[in-house]
Amino acid sequence: MAAGGGSSLPVSSLLLPLLEGTKKLIASKFLAEYWAEMAASGRGLRRAMCASPCPAWRPAHWEAKGRLKPEYDAVVIGAGHNGLVAAAYLQKLGVNTAVFERRHVIGGAAVTEEIIPGFKFSRASYLLSLLRPQIYTELELKKHGLRLHLRNPYSFTPMLEEGTGSKVPRSLLLGTDMVENQKQIAQFSRKDAQAFPKYEAFMNRLALAVDPLLDAAPVDMEAFWRGSLLQRLKSLSTLTPLLQAGRILGVQLPQYYQVLTAPITKVLNQWFESEPLKATLATDAVIGAMISPHTPGSGYVLLHHVMGGLEGIQGAWGYVEGGMGALSDAIASSATAHGASIFTEKTVAKVQVSSGGRVQGVVLQDGSEVRSKVVLSNASPQITFLKLTPQEWLPEEFVERISQLDTQSPVTKINVAIDRLPDFLAAPNTARGQPLPHHQCSIHLNCEDITLLHQAFEDAMDGWPSHRPMIELCIPSSLDPTLAPPGCHVISIFTQYTPYTLAGGKVWDEQERNTYADKVFECIEGYAPGFKSSVLGRDILVPPDLERIFGLPGGNIFHCAMGLDQLYFTRPLPLHSSYRCPLRGLYLCGSGAHPGGGVMGAAGRNAAHVVFGDLKSM
């Protein structure tokens, strides 16, 4: 009995109201200055709750070591992660390198921005897995401050199940424990539970075969057929990764060929019968791509998202401590430690070309000329060749084909600050509201059935945002408390499908952004009642915003689509997949080059080695 003869209550019950009040006060303390600043500048609360084309708060500028010099051996356009990787490798090889970044912060799409004071967001990319293991070790990223939080479990798909009375709706939770995975899958199908380990082994073998293709330039077909004898002999070495892949796949090569070319629905239907499992797996086949699970070739996109790993664990995904910008900072630190120079708010206006038709440097927006032997562009192929390069130095057919690259994007990214964790009907929170295993996962909503994913795609094909968007929700602060004030959290909501151009003459103005975000929040509310009331602020990035802020053409997170027609020796174009282009001395080193998008770093690393080889032969 409590003192005074009152009812006996657990101490936790007595403290809960006090804890909740304290959290609100802390959040208010961090936000008070922000709201005051917004009001003083005439923008007010409503702007903070809407899309934020220009964040009110800016992170500290990256301080370059040394002053801008008139000449370098190499210039890199753009300080995205691939550009930073290329600069780090070139500088490590003794090539004096400078990087010029348009924005006030380095990282490109791998960036951390404190849009609301006290809340640090991975504003665009938000998960790590694909970064090549060689880059970790060769650039000594741990030494330069990189810290990771691995996720296990890694995938959570709650169901919306009506008429269950007091029964908790089912959910599918997947992690690294295969026995536990099978128990979870058996809720929906015992047959699927038995098949799942075989499916995982099958896909892992394909990932193992593709792995060597990622770390080298594609087969140089032009040199192989038209080059000198020496060039032909050199090009033979580029066949090695293909031969390695063939050896790994062996007699099963035709089956794996089908995975890469078929719709993912066809592949998954051969393995499984339960919709929640198939739909959860299918999300990796369409994420970031304007395709349906029924689109041929969607199997490769799935492979692209399962072929990574962290700290020796195949397929593992994790959060970067401090947000994705901390990864970019570690790469930049490695580059500058070797002597590279990195400059922010230095926009490259054009590539300079000598009268002899060779790159000789760049001109910055302020009129400064910087000479160099080579220029590497981390910008998209479209920006590189259609905006920065003088058109008279490029073949007309090349320019035309670059302009025709498929850049459709379905993505709208919403960054949200909340004052408490979402409380899912399928996995209720604890009394104290502490993070549970499912909170660290990629949380898949509106993903109980592949039909839902296809319908969401169909809406976008008609020019409308999806009525029930596919939602991948991540809460990195569940593992990394440095991202938010105590008791509060940051959420990355990756949604699709939203077309770049809306039907009916509508445009992505503030009203349309908020209408779509409200729809997404209503969907989340259905799975986790109370979510909307927990929101402190949000940042809405529709495809035109992703294009304007991060230079992603059409808002495409991969720079151009990852279809089989735009991969390997056709990325970005056939005969121009070796990072070189028709203009001597100009190279691509970003996601528009082989092996494509994602925070992988392979394009930057591969391009640096190609450039170094060319410099030696000059």
Side-chain angles (χ1 to χ4, degrees):
M1 297 287 288
S7 300
S8 176
L9 288 172
V11 175
S12 60
S13 297
L14 293 169
L15 289 177
L16 273 175
L18 177 61
L19 288 170
E20 285 300 315
T22 303
K23 282 165 55 180
K24 291 281 187 181
L25 283 172
I26 291 170
S28 298
K29 176 181 180 296
F30 276 87
L31 292 170
E33 294 179 10
Y34 177 61
W35 303 142
E37 180 186 331
M38 297 293 273
S41 63
R43 285 174 283 185
L45 175 62
R46 186 180 175 204
R47 167 71 181 279
M49 297 295 289
C50 301
S52 317
C54 300
W57 187 93
R58 285 183 163 195
H61 291 212
W62 178 267
E63 296 293 338
K65 292 186 178 181
R67 293 183 178 181
L68 177 63
K69 299 174 185 176
E71 186 169 356
Y72 298 86
D73 294 329
V75 161
V76 178
I77 301 173
H81 81 281
N82 272 307
L84 294 171
V85 166
Y89 275 97
L90 285 172
Q91 192 69 47
K92 192 177 176 185
L93 290 165
V95 180
N96 190 20
T97 304
V99 183
F100 297 107
E101 169 57 40
R102 170 181 58 89
R103 297 193 71 212
H104 60 280
V105 60
I106 64 168
V111 67
T112 301
E113 296 192 66
E114 193 171 343
I115 303 165
I116 298 173
F119 294 84
K120 298 175 185 176
F121 296 94
S122 293
R123 200 175 181 201
S125 60
Y126 54 99
L127 283 169
L128 189 66
S129 174
L130 300 175
L131 190 72
R132 303 304 295 152
Q134 304 93 317
I135 293 173
Y136 283 105
T137 54
E138 292 167 355
L139 299 186
E140 301 179 293
L141 296 187
K142 283 192 175 182
K143 172 185 168 184
H144 290 281
L146 181 64
R147 301 290 180 269
L148 303 177
H149 295 279
L150 272 64
R151 308 186 309 167
N152 184 33
Y154 53 78
S155 175
F156 175 62
T157 307
M159 305 292 113
L160 278 183
E161 294 180 322
E162 298 178 3
T164 55
S166 60
K167 194 175 179 182
V168 173
R170 290 177 299 171
S171 62
L172 178 62
L173 187 69
L174 300 176
T176 58
D177 186 330
M178 184 56 74
V179 173
E180 187 57 37
N181 287 345
Q182 288 180 289
K183 288 180 184 176
Q184 288 282 318
I185 295 168
Q187 298 176 86
F188 306 97
S189 167
R190 293 187 180 279
K191 178 183 173 185
D192 288 0
Q194 292 300 313
F196 191 68
K198 298 173 186 175
Y199 167 82
E200 287 277 277
F202 179 82
M203 293 303 292
N204 286 341
R205 186 173 179 182
L206 180 54
L208 188 66
V210 170
D211 193 72
L213 301 177
L214 305 178
D215 298 315
V219 175
D220 189 343
M221 298 303 293
E222 187 169 25
F224 191 76
W225 292 108
R226 301 176 187 170
S228 65
L229 179 60
L230 181 60
Q231 287 175 320
R232 291 183 183 188
L233 289 172
K234 282 184 177 179
S235 69
L236 284 174
S237 65
T238 63
L239 291 171
T240 303
L242 280 175
L243 295 173
Q244 287 178 306
R247 270 201 309 269
I248 292 169
L249 298 180
V251 296
Q252 286 186 296
L253 180 59
Q255 292 168 267
Y256 285 109
Y257 175 79
Q258 185 185 59
V259 172
L260 297 179
T261 58
I264 195 60
T265 46
K266 181 177 181 179
V267 176
L268 293 175
N269 285 338
Q270 291 172 351
W271 285 94
F272 308 116
E273 62 184 11
S274 61
E275 282 298 323
L277 177 60
K278 289 192 291 184
T280 296
L281 296 174
T283 60
D284 277 334
V286 299
I287 195 161
M290 187 62 91
I291 58 176
S292 159
H294 298 307
T295 303
S298 48
Y300 178 78
V301 181
L302 180 143
L303 176 67
H304 189 77
H305 286 95
V306 301
M307 63 189 179
L310 291 174
E311 299 188 348
I313 303 173
Q314 187 175 356
W317 287 78
Y319 300 119
V320 178
E321 184 167 305
M324 292 297 285
L327 168 65
S328 299
D329 286 345
I331 300 170
S333 176
S334 178
T336 55
H338 286 97
S341 298
I342 302 170
F343 302 93
T344 55
E345 295 186 303
K346 290 287 186 184
T347 302
V348 173
K350 71 173 182 177
V351 174
Q352 275 197 307
V353 184
S354 70
S355 58
R358 182 176 182 85
V359 161
Q360 61 180 19
V362 296
V363 179
L364 304 182
Q365 200 169 60
D366 61 11
S368 304
E369 295 185 7
V370 182
R371 295 187 302 277
S372 65
K373 297 173 185 175
V374 293
V375 172
L376 294 82
S377 179
N378 187 50
S380 68
Q382 297 86 337
I383 290 174
T384 302
F385 300 122
L386 304 182
K387 294 185 177 181
L388 299 181
T389 306
Q391 300 295 279
E392 62 268 24
W393 294 107
L394 295 173
E396 188 175 328
E397 182 184 2
F398 177 85
V399 171
E400 183 179 358
R401 295 195 68 179
I402 290 291
S403 69
Q404 293 171 348
L405 289 174
D406 178 5
T407 61
Q408 290 185 93
S409 169
V411 174
T412 287
K413 175 83 187 296
I414 308 174
N415 300 298
V416 188
I418 55 173
D419 65 13
R420 60 186 180 275
L421 285 167
D423 190 6
F424 291 95
L425 293 172
N429 286 356
T430 64
R432 294 177 61 86
Q434 297 301 307
L436 294 170
H438 67 275
H439 285 121
Q440 66 185 262
C441 296
S442 289
I443 301 170
H444 305 285
L445 307 181
N446 292 339
C447 297
E448 298 98 317
D449 192 306
I450 282 181
T451 303
L452 291 174
L453 306 184
H454 180 67
Q455 186 55 58
F457 166 77
E458 289 282 292
D459 292 341
M461 287 293 95
D462 292 335
W464 303 107
S466 303
H467 295 296
R468 285 190 65 183
M470 184 184 106
I471 298 170
E472 179 173 293
L473 185 152
C474 290
I475 314 171
S477 51
S478 63
L479 291 178
D480 179 8
T482 69
L483 299 175
C488 298
H489 290 274
V490 296
I491 296 186
S492 285
I493 306 177
F494 193 89
T495 77
Q496 54 192 82
Y497 299 77
T498 49
Y500 184 95
T501 303
L502 297 173
K506 292 188 175 183
V507 295
W508 280 114
D509 56 17
E510 185 175 302
Q511 181 180 343
E512 289 297 329
R513 285 184 179 89
N514 281 298
T515 297
Y516 177 72
D518 290 343
K519 183 190 301 180
V520 170
F521 283 23
E522 281 292 342
C523 289
I524 299 172
E525 186 81 11
Y527 292 90
F531 170 78
K532 290 194 295 183
S533 64
S534 73
V535 174
L536 299 171
R538 69 192 190 190
D539 172 49
I540 309 162
L541 301 172
V542 296
D545 298 322
L546 294 170
E547 180 177 64
R548 174 177 49 80
I549 297 170
F550 301 107
L552 303 173
N556 192 296
I557 62 173
F558 306 124
H559 282 193
C560 51
M562 297 284 288
L564 292 177
D565 60 325
Q566 290 184 172
L567 286 172
Y568 197 56
F569 41 48
T570 62
R571 190 169 189 89
L573 295 178
L575 303 183
H576 298 290
S577 60
S578 62
Y579 310 100
R580 304 177 184 92
C581 77
L583 178 59
R584 287 180 299 158
L586 178 60
Y587 301 80
L588 272 185
C589 68
S591 293
H594 171 74
V599 183
M600 189 183 297
R605 181 177 180 270
N606 295 349
H609 287 302
V610 168
V611 169
F612 184 66
D614 289 354
L615 284 172
K616 285 197 299 182
S617 63
M618 279 185 185

